[in-house]
Amino acid sequence: MPEFNAPLRDMRFVLHDVFQAPSLWARLPALAETVDADTADAILEEAAKVTGNLIAPLNRSGDEEGAQWEGGNVRTPAGFREAYATYIEGGWVGLSGNPSYGGMGMPKMLAVAFEEMLYAAGSSFALYSALSSGACLAIDAHASEELKTTYLPPMYEGRWAGSMCLTEAHAGTDLGIIRTKAEPQADGSYKVTGSKIFITGGEQDLTENIIHLVLAKLPDAPAGPKGISLFLVPKVMVNADGSLGARNAVSCGSIEHKMGIKASATCVMNFDGATGYLIGEVNKGLAAMFTMMNYERLSIGIQGIGCAEASYQSAVGYARERIQSRAASGPVNHDKVADPIIVHADVRRMLLTMKALNEGGRAFACYVGQQLDLAKYAEDASERQNAEALVALLTPVSKAFFTDTGLESCVHGQQVFGGHGYIREWGQEQLVRDVRIAQIYEGTNGIQALDLLGRKVVANGGAALRLFAAEVRDFAHAHESPFGDRLVEALERLEAVSGWLLDQAKSDPNSVGAASVEYLHLFGYVAYAYMWSRMAAVAQSKQGEDEAFYGAKLATAEFFFARLLPRTLSLEASIRGGSQSLYGLAAEQF
Ligand SMILES: Cc1cc2nc3c(=O)[nH]c(=O)nc-3n(C[C@H](O)[C@H](O)[C@H](O)COP(=O)(O)OP(=O)(O)OC[C@H]3O[C@@H](n4cnc5c(N)ncnc54)[C@H](O)[C@@H]3O)c2cc1C
């Protein structure tokens, strides 16, 4: 497995130069005391060491050994326990957690960079703590003070982990039909009974306790999504003084054998009258769980970027070394029998596609992180509301576009290696296998697309989209970017298609479902065009400084606008193709 070096230079560029995070933090009282440019840089550098030196070396062996299930227990691969123990000493699980309960209170803009490094170093390892951070967020936002005080500190510390228990064998996308039951007890607790499948980190040997957040229904709950409640169910009961007591009636029935992320235990979890505590209000569990799911969706999106970055780094190294054939314009390597494959146009196309998508994605993740920080910390109510609307709009785009383009990038990275990309040695085939799940879990990318177009655009008559579009347009008019015209043209395409779809949705019930995936991609390319315009504007303003870095930014931006943004033309044509052709066949004709 090649080594992974965190792209620190690029992360600092995005954070400091493009989004000027330190000045934003300075004006938000909750962050002003916590973080500044130096602290952020120190955290990034430390994160680079932990992910590059501690976690990345376990990625290949973890994949080969996999997580093992033995009589109800899960054994993580060799080295994971020791690495996890060192990892949590750094406080990484609680990086952006609430300081009142032991979190570090760092902004999300910074945390997204850390998450990218973590997934790039090893998706399986990353998942063991990613679910904890999300669970903490849901507990912090919705649980009682007593639950917060008891559970958050050891979870932020990483001594206890979190899991997210939604899926059942018959209920994946459609959580309204779950069967897990929760019966109220005289002491205010509940007895939770049911079986959940596909639970990431439902059982493992890394932490003293696992705190399951479980969706279940009360006996008299209304049918459908409005009858779902959320429960905190510890693997080991917790005594009043915070010490661990008896085992709760929760067990791991088996783990799955999967295509990728083999070191991550994907568990069948059985709840047999397990003691649980209500989080939030009865029957409002889905809304509470969405706090966790929205966090996880951005995080899983970042899995796409992380894997793609790891793939890119190793593909570039290989393309510089591997010699095959001569450059079309004549030999470059006169003293060798052939030229390095990086001279060939098609290899450059693949590498530049990866680079443009990865760096566009990195900037967009930081931008969404900024909106999350504003939604949480801005003092002005309207600033908070705008940011919340943008977060809601952009979360499905981040999850699905980062992971769809993440897979595309990893496949390009594999292709750069030719046949050597298909065999184990170079790590490319593992990245393709590991990134693939990110398109499926946390709500499939098809469901993200429906969420974007149906709930976030059509349902509010395009209001949130108009907010985003106004910001993009303001930027294009106010800043000198060599790509301003092409940005506005792409934005107008998105607006025109959105208007057309709003109209179609009035008369055609299939129009949203038929267009949604292409629409999300169209949105994604426009969002990346905005990011590349912002990056290019900064790069242009730095003329004379670090020519190699800023010159590469402008050249990559040119590639994005010349070769990737035109994909929006075919996406528009496909969307306008409408829904009718999807219903030309009866089910038996397929
Ligand atoms: C490795 C792994 C880890 C996981 N980790 C967790 C976890 O920690 N916790 C947890 O609760 N779950 C977890 N999951 C479950 C995961 O979130 C679900 O698999 C996913 O949400 C899809 O549900 P499903 O598999 O039941 O597919 P289904 O819901 O049956 O969907 C099948 C197909 O139909 C499509 N579809 C369904 N409904 C619609 C619709 N209305 N419109 C259009 N298309 C539709 C879907 O997009 C998909 O393509 C994990 C799964 C895996 C494989």
Side-chain angles (χ1 to χ4, degrees):
M1 195 79 183
E3 17 173 270
F4 165 68
N5 292 306
L8 286 179
R9 175 73 177 91
D10 204 46
M11 286 173 167
R12 279 196 293 262
F13 166 73
V14 168
L15 202 58
H16 296 311
D17 297 337
V18 179
F19 294 106
Q20 296 174 357
S23 21
L24 172 70
W25 299 333
R27 88 168 164 82
L28 301 175
L31 292 175
E33 297 289 299
T34 317
V35 62
D36 58 14
D38 289 343
T39 320
D41 285 348
I43 289 175
L44 288 178
E45 278 183 25
E46 202 48 42
K49 285 187 207 146
V50 168
T51 51
N53 303 338
L54 184 73
I55 299 169
L58 296 173
N59 199 30
R60 169 83 175 270
S61 56
D63 178 62
E64 282 172 355
E65 186 181 341
Q68 308 291 333
W69 182 87
E70 286 152 6
N73 296 317
V74 166
R75 186 165 46 77
T76 54
F80 269 49
R81 276 173 67 84
E82 296 75 9
Y84 184 83
T86 308
Y87 167 72
I88 63 172
E89 276 171 23
W92 297 107
V93 182
L95 185 65
S96 54
N98 186 345
S100 311
Y101 302 96
M104 279 166 67
M106 288 296 151
K108 191 71 190 168
M109 289 177 88
L110 184 60
V112 293
F114 168 62
E115 286 174 45
E116 183 193 324
M117 294 184 212
L118 195 57
Y119 283 112
S123 288
S124 288
F125 189 97
L127 286 165
Y128 285 110
S129 62
L131 271 296
S132 295
S133 308
C136 288
L137 206 71
I139 295 170
D140 189 33
H142 303 286
S144 66
E145 190 55 40
E146 193 187 341
L147 289 178
K148 288 197 231 183
T149 319
T150 308
Y151 290 93
L152 285 178
M155 289 179 79
Y156 283 142
E157 256 181 79
R159 278 193 297 119
W160 301 356
S163 90
M164 183 174 83
C165 301
L166 286 63
T167 307
E168 299 180 8
H170 69 290
T173 301
D174 187 358
L175 294 170
I177 57 174
I178 59 166
R179 294 188 191 126
T180 299
K181 285 272 167 252
E183 302 215 40
Q185 305 297 299
D187 65 357
S189 69
Y190 292 78
K191 290 274 176 233
V192 177
T193 304
S195 193
K196 299 282 179 181
I197 66 163
F198 295 163
I199 305 308
T200 300
E203 181 57 66
Q204 32 81 354
D205 58 358
L206 305 175
T207 60
E208 299 161 16
N209 203 357
I210 302 174
I211 311 307
H212 305 286
L213 297 199
V214 185
L215 289 183
K217 291 191 161 194
L218 265 62
D220 57 353
K226 294 202 168 116
I228 299 175
S229 303
L230 178 61
F231 298 89
L232 183 157
V233 182
K235 168 181 162 181
V236 183
M237 297 302 292
V238 180
N239 299 321
D241 64 357
S243 61
L244 294 181
R247 267 297 289 256
N248 201 357
V250 184
S251 58
C252 173
S254 61
I255 61 173
E256 307 296 342
H257 302 282
K258 317 186 288 289
M259 170 181 176
I261 55 164
K262 288 174 187 274
S264 166
T266 307
C267 306
V268 172
M269 296 304 300
N270 297 318
F271 298 86
D272 299 306
T275 301
Y277 308 99
L278 184 69
I279 295 183
E281 289 175 49
V282 162
N283 297 336
K284 299 268 170 64
L286 212 49
M289 192 56 123
F290 259 102
T291 307
M292 177 167 186
M293 275 153 59
N294 279 335
Y295 175 92
E296 295 298 346
R297 282 177 177 175
L298 178 58
S299 172
I300 291 308
I302 293 169
Q303 181 182 356
I305 304 173
C307 290
E309 173 63 27
S311 175
Y312 173 74
Q313 287 187 11
S314 112
V316 170
Y318 190 79
R320 288 193 188 116
E321 297 293 321
R322 173 75 172 170
I323 56 167
Q324 290 294 297
S325 317
R326 289 294 184 194
S329 52
V332 174
N333 229 349
H334 292 284
D335 53 345
K336 298 245 170 76
V337 293
D339 288 333
I341 59 171
I342 202 162
V343 302
H344 303 308
D346 186 51
V347 173
R348 291 179 153 254
R349 175 188 65 81
M350 292 189 277
L351 292 174
L352 270 162
T353 300
M354 297 172 83
K355 186 170 166 61
L357 292 175
N358 295 356
E359 291 175 20
R362 179 170 302 129
F364 191 54
C366 188
Y367 174 76
V368 178
Q370 182 187 47
Q371 301 310 320
L372 279 161
D373 288 335
L374 286 170
K376 194 165 167 190
Y377 298 120
E379 293 210 285
D380 177 55
S382 70
E383 192 176 17
R384 278 201 309 277
Q385 277 161 11
N386 278 359
E388 274 164 23
L390 286 177
V391 167
L393 179 74
L394 303 178
T395 296
V397 181
S398 324
K399 194 277 177 180
F401 198 63
F402 290 168
T403 56
D404 284 349
T405 54
L407 178 73
E408 181 187 340
S409 282
C410 289
V411 171
H412 286 315
Q414 184 180 36
Q415 193 78 9
V416 167
F417 279 77
H420 300 272
Y422 197 71
I423 61 170
R424 302 217 77 178
E425 186 182 353
W426 294 91
Q428 289 288 348
E429 60 86 38
Q430 185 189 342
L431 286 165
V432 171
R433 288 187 287 106
D434 282 358
V435 78
R436 180 69 179 87
I437 184 59
Q439 297 177 297
I440 297 172
Y441 58 15
E442 280 314 320
T444 62
N445 284 2
I447 296 302
Q448 304 301 322
L450 278 178
D451 180 43
L452 171 69
L453 182 55
R455 292 181 56 222
K456 310 291 171 56
V457 174
V458 170
N460 63 28
L465 172 67
R466 282 193 291 280
L467 194 67
F468 181 67
E471 180 182 319
V472 176
R473 197 167 265 114
D474 284 353
F475 172 84
H477 292 151
H479 290 82
E480 278 287 305
S481 161
F483 307 104
D485 292 347
R486 282 184 271 179
L487 171 63
V488 171
E489 190 188 320
L491 177 67
E492 284 171 356
R493 176 163 301 118
L494 175 66
E495 290 176 311
V497 168
S498 305
W500 183 79
L501 282 168
L502 281 168
D503 218 37
Q504 293 289 305
K506 289 180 195 149
S507 54
D508 176 3
N510 287 319
S511 60
V512 166
S516 51
V517 167
E518 278 95 349
Y519 182 81
L520 185 142
H521 282 203
L522 171 58
F523 201 124
Y525 285 112
V526 173
Y528 279 25
Y530 177 38
M531 295 299 110
W532 272 112
S533 298
R534 290 185 70 154
M535 291 192 279
V538 174
Q540 213 176 27
S541 74
K542 302 267 185 187
Q543 267 175 7
E545 293 174 47
D546 197 349
E547 188 51 40
F549 181 82
Y550 294 115
K553 275 286 165 219
L554 287 168
T556 311
E558 180 54 48
F559 174 84
F560 176 83
F561 280 93
R563 296 292 303 253
L564 298 185
L565 192 60
R567 291 180 181 184
T568 55
L569 295 167
S570 84
L571 289 166
E572 175 181 12
S574 177
I575 292 167
R576 289 188 190 270
S579 71
Q580 226 181 351
S581 63
L582 292 172
Y583 287 88
L585 300 183
E588 58 275 10
Q589 287 178 287
F590 277 86

